[in-house]
Amino acid sequence: MTVEEKKHPAEGEKRKDRGDCSGCGGGCEEPIPGECGGPAPVPWLPYDRAQYFYEGRVFALDRFDQGRLEIRITYQHSLSLIGRQQGPLLYTVTLLPGESVEVSEFDRYRRVRAAEQRLSVHSSFRQTMSALSETSRFSSASAYTNSLVDIRTRADTSVSAGGGLAGFFGAPQVRGEFGVATETTVASGASVRTASSQFTQNAITAAQSTEAERSVVVSTFDEADNQTMTRRTLRNENPCYAVTYYVRRVLEVYSASSRVESIEWRIGDTPWRSIEDRAAEVERALKGLGDVLPRPFEEATDARQVTLPTDGLLYEAELAHCSSCDPMREARLRIETEEFRIRNRRACLEAELLTHPAQEPA
């Protein structure tokens, strides 16, 4: 069907979800002309899309005349969105019938940071992940702080580095003043399960650090000179029942998995070559590793889940189970409700008689 032949689904036909236009209730809307209809909306994709992080680890093996043999393993870590869940309770209040209260949302992150230093939650999370991954190679306690400050100073560069972690091309490089590089062997650090476990641990730590950095306070306390607060009024319009309001933070839940993206080798300062393109001396050196060296595209999934905070808050209202009205008032309210229903029914029937008058019998 060409573009000229397309018609709006409501043109010339009755919408199925509108129902019939007779009786009390239903909807009566005119069809939308075809020239007024827009294109169909872009569909939402399922949750199987993931955030990817890449990490490179270099292991030193035997020494040859040309130099030392090195193996570089590149891992692909992914965080797949499972869903969303309610986070910790930030504020709760119970309002009696007719009561109201004004609450304020105080966002510490936007208050203490300049406009050019503010980033989204996912950008802050990636920065913290890069700093944790880089400083895990050092024994200095101040290396993490120096790394995070350096990354945030170069905010545009660090964000554009994307998912590059330590040892991967494009990842932020950090040099600690008293840091000592810690190397591991192939047996202890090359396993994909070990890499996946360490990545998940860093992701959980980075998520907790991001949540602490972007903490939100909801309370009735108000500062007169603070213009960065979000204020809203909670009011209980129910005449007989109390309402309890719960304010919680919205969290995103991710599952973590890792796989071996590539394995490369080199001797000395020569260019990196694929593990499938290896020389005879490299073949002999790799045979001594046995099954310790992981296989390309080997995968591992960690059982732990990563919960990442968001900037969203969930306001949930809960109606009390017991009424605070006396029996006479409750009866009066039921009578008023029934009278309102009868008046509404009468008006509906009168409108139907005016639209479709009854025919006289022949």
Side-chain angles (χ1 to χ4, degrees):
M1 180 181 292
T2 61
V3 178
E4 290 76 15
E5 295 175 350
K6 288 184 178 180
K7 293 184 178 180
H8 194 274
E11 183 183 5
E13 60 181 3
K14 191 177 297 182
R15 291 187 178 181
K16 296 181 180 180
D17 59 342
R18 294 300 180 184
D20 200 358
C21 192
S22 62
C24 300
C28 303
E29 293 187 5
E30 295 294 331
I32 301 176
E35 59 272 12
C36 298
V42 178
W44 287 92
L45 298 179
Y47 283 162
D48 56 359
R49 303 311 190 266
Q51 301 181 50
Y52 293 102
F53 300 81
Y54 292 90
E55 176 188 6
R57 298 188 179 186
V58 179
F59 303 93
L61 301 180
D62 300 340
R63 180 177 292 278
F64 297 93
D65 296 337
Q66 302 90 338
R68 182 178 290 275
L69 172 63
E70 294 180 335
I71 299 294
R72 183 174 68 179
I73 305 178
T74 302
Y75 303 90
Q76 181 194 73
H77 307 291
S78 65
L79 291 176
S80 300
L81 180 63
I82 302 176
R84 298 176 180 85
Q85 69 178 16
Q86 297 184 18
L89 183 64
L90 302 180
Y91 180 75
T92 180
V93 63
T94 299
L95 298 180
L96 298 178
E99 282 189 332
S100 63
V101 64
E102 187 179 70
V103 297
S104 301
E105 300 175 7
F106 175 73
D107 192 340
R108 174 182 173 274
Y109 178 79
R110 289 177 171 82
R111 178 72 181 274
V112 300
R113 295 198 177 274
E116 62 273 8
Q117 295 178 338
R118 297 173 190 170
L119 300 173
S120 65
V121 174
H122 292 87
S123 298
S124 300
F125 174 71
R126 287 181 178 273
Q127 286 183 344
T128 309
M129 280 290 297
S130 298
L132 285 173
S133 178
E134 184 68 30
T135 54
S136 63
R137 310 295 179 86
F138 298 93
S139 59
S140 173
S142 61
Y144 167 73
T145 304
N146 297 334
S147 173
L148 194 58
V149 171
D150 182 66
I151 290 175
R152 286 176 175 173
T153 303
R154 302 176 291 106
D156 295 337
T157 305
S158 62
V159 172
S160 63
L165 301 180
F168 184 74
F169 176 76
Q173 301 296 324
V174 179
R175 297 172 178 83
E177 182 178 357
F178 301 102
V180 179
T182 56
E183 298 293 340
T184 58
T185 62
V186 176
S188 62
S191 171
V192 65
R193 289 194 173 275
T194 301
S196 178
S197 177
Q198 294 175 354
F199 169 77
T200 305
Q201 180 180 354
N202 288 342
I204 294 175
T205 305
Q208 293 175 350
S209 176
T210 304
E211 182 176 4
E213 178 188 37
R214 308 175 74 95
S215 60
V216 178
V217 178
V218 179
S219 67
T220 56
F221 176 74
D222 189 6
E223 294 182 9
D225 59 343
N226 187 7
Q227 302 298 327
T228 61
M229 283 187 176
T230 300
R231 299 178 180 85
R232 62 176 57 192
T233 301
L234 305 179
R235 182 179 292 105
N236 182 10
E237 301 287 356
N238 193 284
C240 289
Y241 290 85
V243 176
T244 301
Y245 291 89
Y246 299 93
V247 184
R248 297 180 183 273
R249 192 160 192 172
V250 180
L251 305 178
E252 291 181 340
V253 184
Y254 293 86
S255 63
S257 62
S258 304
R259 77 165 187 170
V260 178
E261 187 70 13
S262 64
I263 302 178
E264 300 167 302
W265 67 273
R266 72 175 181 181
I267 298 178
D269 295 331
T270 59
W272 292 99
R273 300 167 62 180
S274 173
I275 193 64
E276 299 177 355
D277 181 21
R278 51 180 178 260
E281 60 270 18
V282 178
E283 184 73 30
R284 291 191 297 269
L286 294 180
K287 283 184 178 180
L289 297 178
D291 297 334
V292 176
L293 191 68
R295 299 183 302 273
F297 307 113
E298 183 179 351
E299 298 183 2
T301 302
D302 199 286
R304 294 169 293 180
Q305 295 179 343
V306 181
T307 55
L308 184 63
T310 67
D311 288 333
L313 298 179
L314 174 65
Y315 283 75
E316 184 179 11
E318 182 180 278
L319 192 66
H321 299 285
C322 299
S323 173
S324 60
C325 294
D326 58 272
M328 295 295 295
R329 179 171 173 76
E330 287 187 353
R332 189 182 307 111
L333 292 175
R334 286 196 295 267
I335 293 174
E336 292 176 356
T337 303
E338 183 65 19
E339 290 177 351
F340 181 79
R341 189 190 67 82
I342 293 175
R343 287 197 302 268
N344 185 55
R345 176 67 176 173
R346 179 183 300 171
C348 182
L349 293 176
E350 290 176 355
E352 191 176 52
L353 288 175
L354 292 175
T355 307
H356 305 285
Q359 297 181 356
E360 297 181 359

